[in-house]
């Protein structure tokens, strides 16, 4: 389960979690969450993509969220 939040010019936040987003699961079960913010790169000085960026873009392109891959480009 994953959230990909686009903050426009600021960048994106990726959240990966184990919960089912149901009140009983979230209140009474142990759940894990990882998140990280990724700043936008400058179009005039683009940085080389990290292996995480390459893997995530590839995953999104092949998943039902294919249209979300452009957010990371």
């Amino acid at each position: 389960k994953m959230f990909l939040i686009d903050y426009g010019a600021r960048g994106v936040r990726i959240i990966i979690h184990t919960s089912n987003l149901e009140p009983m699961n979230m209140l009474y079960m142990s759940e894990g969450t990882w998140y990280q913010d990724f700043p936008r790169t400058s179009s005039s000085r683009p940085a080389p993509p990290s292996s995480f960026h390459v893997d995530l873009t590839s995953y999104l392109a092949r998943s039902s969220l294919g249209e979300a891959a452009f957010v990371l480009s």
Side-chain angles (χ1 to χ4, degrees), residues 14-26:
I14 298 173
I15 304 168
I16 300 173
H17 59 94
T18 62
S19 64
N20 287 324
L21 298 180
E22 295 181 22
M24 295 300 283
N25 285 8
M26 294 172 75

Side-chain angles (χ1 to χ4, degrees), residues 46-61:
S50 67
S51 59
F52 177 77
H53 180 273
V54 171
D55 290 345
L56 182 61
T57 303
S58 175
Y59 170 78
L60 290 172

